[in-house]
Amino acid sequence: MAGIEITDLHKHYGNLAILNGVNLRIEDGEFVTLIGPSGCGKSTLLKIIAGLEAASSGSIRIASRVVNNVPPQQRDLAMVFQNYALYPQMTIRQNLAFGMKVKGFTKPEIERRITEVANTLGLGALLDRRPRQLSGGQRQRVAMGRAMVREPQAFLLDEPLSNLDAALRTVMRSEIKTLHQRLGRTMVYVTHDQVEAMTMADRIAIMQNGKIVQYGAPDDLYSRP
Ligand code: ADP
Ligand code: ADP
């Protein structure tokens, strides 16, 4: 099962320290939001968990296995970014299928996964359209779908809704929450929006200057006397 455990993680670029001893233990299936001011190291932490950046020191465990030297494609997680880079010339179906094709999945398996993800995300009627024919919210759903077809144990979401307008953000928040309840997968969700952090999370990690300074359930963190 895919809990994530970060121990004394440091990251520096030359002399510039970005992460200064991050400790964080995320239980399997938990929804954790990571919040903190711009530049405090949230994206860097997420990229290191995903394997897209290397740690300077410290350990990252996924499902109890130390993954510091495991390449991203073998970490069993998927990332969703705010700029949902879809391939503009491809249809939604082709966008969803692309990664699986590259990996040599069989056609029936590709179709099974696309059908399942399209049903879950309400994309069925959009599969033959191209990205430019979709609204922002629909595109964000496709980006989520591209992560879901990987069937990862854990999702890492980096401000996935920040390009959407307020009304759509509210809708998508509850969709992502529902998705979490349905899939029961671990989700780590970076945001700088406190309301988002509070309403979505099982636990919130507050980050400052490259460290987790508080970690707990929303009620424990924000309604102490
Ligand atoms: P956040 O996601 O909290 O806004 P980031 O993790 O993106 O923060 O960035 C943390 C700090 O690391 C920032 O000061 C940023 O400028 C710096 N940083 C990020 N990537 C690099 C890099 N490749 N080289 C040097 N500095 C970087
Ligand atoms: P695509 O770019 O369509 O997803 P692939 O699935 O072949 O194509 O991905 C290429 C590499 O990029 C993979 O080795 C994988 O590790 C990484 N990758 C792609 N999408 C994600 C994602 N959502 N999260 C994490 N890693 C990803």
Side-chain angles (χ1 to χ4, degrees), residues 113-182:
R113 291 191 182 200
I114 290 180
T115 305
E116 189 176 308
V117 166
N119 286 341
T120 305
L121 295 174
L123 295 171
L126 306 176
L127 289 174
D128 295 317
R129 296 203 201 169
R130 285 172 216 279
R132 89 180 76 86
Q133 299 167 292
L134 266 50
S135 70
Q138 291 169 332
R139 278 183 220 167
Q140 193 56 58
R141 254 177 233 143
V142 177
M144 196 73 208
R146 291 210 340 177
M148 282 173 62
V149 291
R150 310 174 68 84
E151 302 189 345
Q153 286 299 319
F155 291 85
L156 307 176
L157 303 108
D158 194 354
E159 308 219 20
L161 308 183
S162 59
N163 286 336
L164 305 179
D165 65 44
L168 191 52
R169 238 177 5 242
T170 308
V171 173
M172 293 292 293
R173 261 182 218 156
S174 70
E175 284 187 10
I176 291 175
K177 260 320 268 183
T178 306
L179 192 65
H180 173 248
Q181 279 150 9
R182 215 158 131 184

Side-chain angles (χ1 to χ4, degrees), residues 52 72-73 77-80 87 95 98-100 102-103 146-147 150:
L52 304 176
Q73 59 272 23
L77 15 98
M79 277 194 75
V80 182
Y87 301 109
N95 265 281
F98 185 76
M100 294 185 280
V102 170
K103 291 200 197 75
R146 291 210 340 177
R150 310 174 68 84

Side-chain angles (χ1 to χ4, degrees), residues 53-117:
E53 294 267 2
S56 301
S57 65
S59 76
I60 308 115
R61 278 169 218 259
I62 300 172
S64 307
R65 174 173 74 138
V66 175
V67 296
N68 289 57
N69 296 314
V70 173
Q73 59 272 23
Q74 286 167 29
R75 291 190 184 196
D76 204 8
L77 15 98
M79 277 194 75
V80 182
F81 300 96
Q82 61 177 276
N83 52 342
Y84 28 74
L86 305 177
Y87 301 109
Q89 309 85 345
M90 294 185 195
T91 64
I92 301 313
R93 187 191 304 279
Q94 288 165 336
N95 265 281
L96 292 172
F98 185 76
M100 294 185 280
K101 268 195 173 150
V102 170
K103 291 200 197 75
F105 281 45
T106 63
K107 231 174 167 180
E109 178 63 11
I110 293 176
E111 269 156 31
R112 180 189 73 72
R113 291 191 182 200
I114 290 180
T115 305
E116 189 176 308
V117 166

Side-chain angles (χ1 to χ4, degrees), residues 11-14 16-19 34-47 53 158-159 190-192 207 210:
K11 174 70 178 177
H12 48 81
Y13 292 108
L16 186 65
I18 308 294
L19 299 179
L34 184 59
I35 186 167
S38 177
C40 73
K42 305 183 293 297
S43 289
T44 303
L45 176 57
L46 223 54
K47 285 185 195 147
E53 294 267 2
D158 194 354
E159 308 219 20
V190 166
T191 178
H192 58 254
M207 199 164 174

Side-chain angles (χ1 to χ4, degrees), residues 28-39:
D28 180 45
E30 198 171 26
F31 196 121
V32 167
T33 53
L34 184 59
I35 186 167
S38 177

